[in-house]
Amino acid sequence: MDDGVQHPTPDPVAEAVRQIRAHGERVTVARTAVLRVLADADEHLSADAIFAAVSRAAPGVHRTTIYRALDALERLDLVAFTRLRHDAATYHLAGHLVGGARVYVRCRVCGTVGHAPGDLLDDVAFRLAAEQGFALDPTAVALTGRCARCATPT
Amino acid sequence: MDDGVQHPTPDPVAEAVRQIRAHGERVTVARTAVLRVLADADEHLSADAIFAAVSRAAPGVHRTTIYRALDALERLDLVAFTRLRHDAATYHLAGHLVGGARVYVRCRVCGTVGHAPGDLLDDVAFRLAAEQGFALDPTAVALTGRCARCATPT
DNA sequence: GTCCATATGCAACAGTGTCGCATCTGGCCG
DNA sequence: CGGCCAGATGCGACACTGTTGCATATGGAC
């Protein structure tokens, strides 16, 4: 899409770990595993999917720990999640770790999730800030609608 | 805020009922009660809050029926809901029933929910349509961020 | 009034996320 | 290197939201 600064950190996990330490929090096996899974997947994963993947890499990690790790990482702005319709939350690395924010768009019919360029919401963010001082978080936005295939039925 | 056409239907409930009939579906006590509650509140309510309000107006309506009514009304595009963070879904009347679409913005810190003009996402919708044929549903969008009070801490 | 499709009541279930508490471990200091 | 302590984890049980199957009641048309 846009060229230029696309890779702020060669290894998102290492950078995230650095930031965990910088905040005075602990770097644990579970947290690192969660970060690694999210970085490798480079996709939005449900907590359950993360649990499954982490269990493969580091058996013995409890389901609850995944939730607590995600919660901690979210407080540190290293992970964000979105909620689409009635499905479970889907987590992903924060935009600044993966080279620019992406906006997720999901089709309400077939459930497919796609990306849109991160600057899609820049204007919206600007208007919200100007009109009511609202600081939009683009990484937490979920756009719902109908994808190309499902938009023109009949 | 913007003047002009603000009241497409004097009574959203009556209009909604008309559309239910037009679609060949049934107008029942529960569905009418749900619509009335949503119209009176003119706010986003959780299913539980709707259940409580309906129970007051029409005792004996079961919790399950609320969900099924909301589901039916959503299929008919009379009700929409949004999902913010880990909280329960919040339902509201469809935009065309209440005088133009509104976009909901919620502060991730204090939880306050505010409105933004319905045309906020017009450009975004246009770009998504042009670039990938995605038909955005503006009534189902939830924008998360920080409100004016919570945006400037420290 | 009668009839049929369908909406409802009910109860039990499923999935997601949370909590309390005992134990273990990461990071630090001697 | 070994010990210490706040904080993270494992474990189980729980809370909440939303769903499903089935018998019954009700809406709407004749």
Side-chain angles (χ1 to χ4, degrees), chain A residues 125-151:
Chain A
F126 181 80
R127 279 184 59 188
L128 283 173
E131 291 170 13
Q132 42 185 298
F134 189 90
L136 179 67
D137 177 6
T139 69
V141 171
L143 298 177
T144 306
R146 271 177 294 208
C147 73
R149 273 176 310 180
C150 303

Side-chain angles (χ1 to χ4, degrees), chain B residues 6 8-9 77-80 92-102 104 139:
Chain B
Q6 275 281 12
T9 55
D77 252 316
L78 301 171
V79 162
H92 57 91
L93 290 184
H96 63 87
L97 288 175
V98 291
R102 278 174 304 186
Y104 296 106
T139 69

Side-chain angles (χ1 to χ4, degrees), chain B residues 26 28 30-31 60-62 64-65 68:
Chain B
R26 289 193 189 164
T28 67
R31 291 176 179 183
V61 174
H62 200 270
T64 305
T65 304
R68 286 199 269 230

Side-chain angles (χ1 to χ4, degrees), chain B residues 38-64:
Chain B
L38 288 176
D40 288 351
D42 191 40
E43 270 294 345
H44 18 248
L45 297 174
S46 69
D48 195 60
I50 296 170
F51 172 54
V54 167
S55 293
R56 240 171 283 130
V61 174
H62 200 270
R63 203 171 61 92
T64 305

Side-chain angles (χ1 to χ4, degrees), chain A residues 49-104:
Chain A
I50 296 171
F51 173 54
V54 168
S55 293
R56 240 171 283 130
V61 174
H62 200 270
R63 202 171 62 92
T64 305
T65 303
I66 301 294
Y67 282 106
R68 287 198 269 228
L70 287 169
D71 196 59
L73 295 172
E74 198 208 332
R75 277 200 314 273
L76 299 176
D77 252 317
L78 300 171
V79 162
F81 72 91
T82 55
R83 219 105 159 58
L84 299 160
R85 292 198 61 83
H86 283 161
D87 297 336
T90 54
Y91 300 82
H92 57 92
L93 289 184
H96 64 87
L97 289 176
V98 293
R102 279 173 303 185
V103 179
Y104 297 107

Side-chain angles (χ1 to χ4, degrees), chain B residues 3-46:
Chain B
D3 19 279
V5 192
Q6 275 281 12
H7 28 63
T9 55
D11 183 3
V13 177
E15 172 59 19
V17 166
R18 223 166 47 83
Q19 295 199 22
I20 295 175
R21 285 225 170 77
H23 281 266
E25 300 238 0
R26 289 193 189 164
V27 176
T28 67
V29 179
R31 291 176 179 183
T32 314
V34 167
L35 287 168
R36 171 104 283 140
V37 165
L38 288 176
D40 288 351
D42 191 40
E43 270 294 345
H44 18 248
L45 297 174
S46 69

Side-chain angles (χ1 to χ4, degrees), chain A residues 36-49:
Chain A
R36 171 105 283 141
V37 165
L38 288 176
D40 287 351
D42 192 41
E43 270 294 343
H44 20 246
L45 298 174
S46 69
D48 195 59

